C-alpha cells in the first residue's frame, strides 16, 4: 500500500457520486438573496432553522454532507496512522537510529487511532440519522474537498488541516444541527448531534495541543501550519456557508470552538473570511445569471 | 460476626495461583516489545486501509479495530518501563526480519477490489497469531509476580477474539464464489509461509518448544 493516497483514489461503493468544488460553485440554483450582495442592502436570514421553507431538504442535505464528511475524516485520521513513521521506533529489525521531521510521536498516532474509532462511530450515527430523516445513502453528491484540502503530506500541516480546520467546521455544523433538532422538536437528532459535538471538541483540542507541542521549538513551522489552516478554513467556508451572519446556513459555534482551543481572534478571522466568501459567491451567481439573461436565445 | 482479629490464611482456599512462571523479567520485556511493535504495525495498516476499501461496513469496522490495536500498543508501551526498560523504543522492535517481511506482504494489497486479501491477512493470519502468542503468555507466566501483564493480556485477548469474529464474519459474507475462496486461501498460504519463518509474533519460541 502506498503512502499518501491521492484523493481520487478514495474507495467508494456504487451509490456514491462525486462532485468537485468547481461544479458546486458553478451551480446557479440558490435560495440566497442575490440582491443582498450589495453591502448597503439588508441581508436575508438563511440560517438552517425549521422555519425555512426548504428546511426539510436542507437538513437532509446537511446530514448527508455530515455523513460523507465523517467518512473523509475517518479516512484522514486513518491515513495519518499509516502515512508517517513513528519517531524512535524501529522500521526494520533493529531499533531506529535515524529520525526525520516527517516522523510523528507515538502518542500522536494513538490519538489519531482514537479519532478513527470516533469518526467510524460518527459514520454509523450519520447513517442511522439519515435513515431517520428519510434519506438514502448517495441521495446527495459527495464533495471530497475535505480530504483533498486537509490531508497534507506534512504531518504538522495535516494536523492543522484535519484537526483544526476540518474538525472545527464539524463543530460549527454539529452545533447548527443540534439547534435545528431542538427547534424542530426532534430529541433524537439533538441527542446524537450533542454526542458527536463532544467528540469533535476533543479532536480539535488534540490538534491544538499537538500543533503546539510538535512546533514548540520551530516557530516558522508553526506559522506555516497556521497559514495552511487559514487557507483550508477559507476553502471550508464554502462561499460563506458558515459564519456569524444569519445569511449563512451554518453558524460559528464560538463557545465550543473556545473549549477546543481556538482564540477569539482566530474565530473572528474565520468569520471575516466567511462573510467575504459569501459576498463573493453572491456576486458570482448574480453575474452568471445576468450573463445567462443576456445570452442570445437558441 | 466473625472475629476480625482471628488469623486467616493469606490465600483463600479457592485461590490456587502459584509463583513459578516461564518468563523472567528480561524475557517478558523482550516479548512485550515484540507485541508492541506488531500491534503498532497492525493499527497503522488498518488505518491506512480505511480509505482503500469501498465497502462501507468494512470501512467502519477497520476504523474501530484500528483503535483497539493502538490501545494494545499503548498498554505494552506502558508496561515496558515497569519491566526495567526505561527506553521503550529500544525494545519496540520486530521479532526478526521475517516479521518485517510479513508485515510488508500483509500490507501490500491496496486496490479497492482486494478487500478479501486485506481482511484475510489480518483476520485469518495476523490476529490468530496474536491470540496464540497472548494465550501462551497468559498460561505460562507467573500468576503472582506478573499479574500486571496478565491483566493486560486478558483485556487485549477479549478485543482480539471480538475483532477476529467481526473480521471472519465479514470475510464469510464477502467470499461468494469458489474463486474468491481460492483467492483468500492463496493469500493466507503466502502469508502463513512467511509467518512460519518468523516463528510467530515474538519469534521462534512464541509458543514455547525452544
Amino acid at each position: 500500500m502506498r503512502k499518501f493516497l491521492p484523493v481520487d483514489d478514495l474507495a467508494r461503493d456504487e451509490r456514491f457520486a462525486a462532485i468537485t468544488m468547481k461544479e458546486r460553485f458553478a451551480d446557479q440554483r440558490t435560495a440566497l438573496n442575490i440582491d443582498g450582495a450589495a453591502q448597503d442592502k439588508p441581508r436575508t436570514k438563511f440560517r438552517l432553522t425549521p422555519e425555512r421553507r426548504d428546511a426539510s431538504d436542507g437538513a437532509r442535505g446537511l446530514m448527508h454532507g455530515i455523513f460523507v464528511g465523517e467518512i473523509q475524516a475517518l479516512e484522514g485520521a486513518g491515513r495519518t496512522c499509516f502515512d508517517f513513521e513513528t519517531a524512535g521506533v524501529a522500521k526494520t529489525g533493529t531499533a531506529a537510529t535515524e529520525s526525520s521531521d516527517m516522523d510523528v510521536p507515538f502518542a500522536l498516532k494513538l490519538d489519531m487511532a482514537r479519532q478513527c474509532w470516533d469518526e467510524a462511530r460518527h459514520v454509523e450515527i450519520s447513517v442511522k440519522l439519515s435513515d431517520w430523516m428519510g434519506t438514502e445513502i448517495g441521495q446527495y453528491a459527495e464533495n471530497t474537498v475535505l480530504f483533498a484540502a486537509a490531508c497534507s503530506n506534512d504531518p504538522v500541516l495535516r494536523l492543522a488541516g484535519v484537526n483544526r480546520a476540518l474538525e472545527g467546521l464539524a463543530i460549527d455544523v454539529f452545533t447548527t444541527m443540534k439547534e435545528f433538532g431542538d427547534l424542530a422538536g426532534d430529541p433524537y437528532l439533538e441527542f446524537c448531534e450533542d454526542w458527536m459535538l463532544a467528540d469533535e471538541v476533543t479532536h480539535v483540542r488534540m490538534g491544538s495541543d499537538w500543533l503546539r507541542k510538535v512546533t514548540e521549538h520551530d516557530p516558522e513551522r508553526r506559522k506555516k501550519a497556521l497559514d495552511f489552516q487559514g487557507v483550508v478554513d477559507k476553502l471550508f467556508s464554502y462561499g460563506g456557508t458558515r459564519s456569524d451572519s444569519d445569511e449563512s446556513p451554518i453558524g460559528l459555534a464560538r463557545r465550543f470552538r473556545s473549549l477546543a482551543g481556538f482564540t477569539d481572534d482566530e474565530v473572528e478571522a474565520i468569520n471575516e473570511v466567511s462573510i467575504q466568501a459569501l459576498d463573493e459567491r453572491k456576486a458570482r451567481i448574480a453575474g452568471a445569471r445576468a450573463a445567462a439573461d443576456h445570452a442570445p436565445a437558441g | 460476626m466473625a472475629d476480625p482479629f482471628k488469623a486467616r490464611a493469606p490465600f483463600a482456599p479457592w485461590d490456587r495461583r502459584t509463583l513459578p512462571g516461564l518468563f523472567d523479567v528480561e524475557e517478558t520485556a523482550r516479548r512485550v516489545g515484540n507485541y508492541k511493535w506488531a500491534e503498532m504495525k497492525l493499527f497503522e495498516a488498518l488505518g491506512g486501509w480505511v480509505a482503500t476499501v469501498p465497502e462501507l461496513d468494512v470501512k467502519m469496522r477497520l476504523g474501530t479495530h484500528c483503535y483497539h490495536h493502538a490501545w494494545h500498543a499503548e498498554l505494552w508501551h506502558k508496561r515496558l518501563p515497569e519491566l526495567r526498560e526505561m527506553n521503550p523504543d529500544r525494545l519496540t522492535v520486530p521479532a526478526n526480519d521475517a516479521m518485517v517481511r510479513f508485515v510488508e506482504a500483509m500490507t501490500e494489497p491496496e486496490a479497492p477490489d482486494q478487500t478479501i486479501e486485506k481482511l484475510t491477512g489480518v483476520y485469518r493470519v495476523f490476529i490468530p497469531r496474536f491470540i496464540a502468542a497472548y494465550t501462551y503468555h497468559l498460561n505460562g507466566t507467573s500468576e503472582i509476580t506478573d499479574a500486571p501483564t496478565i491483566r493486560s493480556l486478558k483485556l487485549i485477548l477479549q478485543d482480539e477474539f471480538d475483532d477476529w469474529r467481526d473480521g471472519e464474519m465479514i470475510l464469510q459474507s464477502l467470499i461468494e464464489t469458489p474463486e474468491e475462496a481460492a483467492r483468500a486461501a492463496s493469500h493466507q498460504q503466502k502469508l502463513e509461509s512467511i509467518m512460519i519463518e518468523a516463528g510467530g509474533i515474538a519469534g521462534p519460541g512464541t509458543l514455547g518448544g525452544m
Side-chain angles (χ1 to χ4, degrees), chain B residues 15 32 54 59 69 95 97 114 127 130 141-143 159 165 171 174 196 204:
Chain B
D15 184 349
V32 166
K59 216 180 253 300
H69 297 286
D97 289 343
Q114 286 185 299
I127 286 187
F130 275 110
T141 198
S142 166
E143 294 169 288
D159 270 352
R165 185 172 46 232
L171 260 172
L174 289 173
I196 288 166

Side-chain angles (χ1 to χ4, degrees), chain A residues 1-2 11 75 79 109 124, chain B residues 44 48 51 59 61 107 110:
Chain A
M1 174 168 45
R2 282 168 296 173
E75 292 169 329
R79 292 306 300 188
K109 279 202 178 184
E124 292 172 338
Chain B
E44 290 169 1
K59 216 180 253 300
R61 277 307 88 197
T107 54
E110 179 191 292

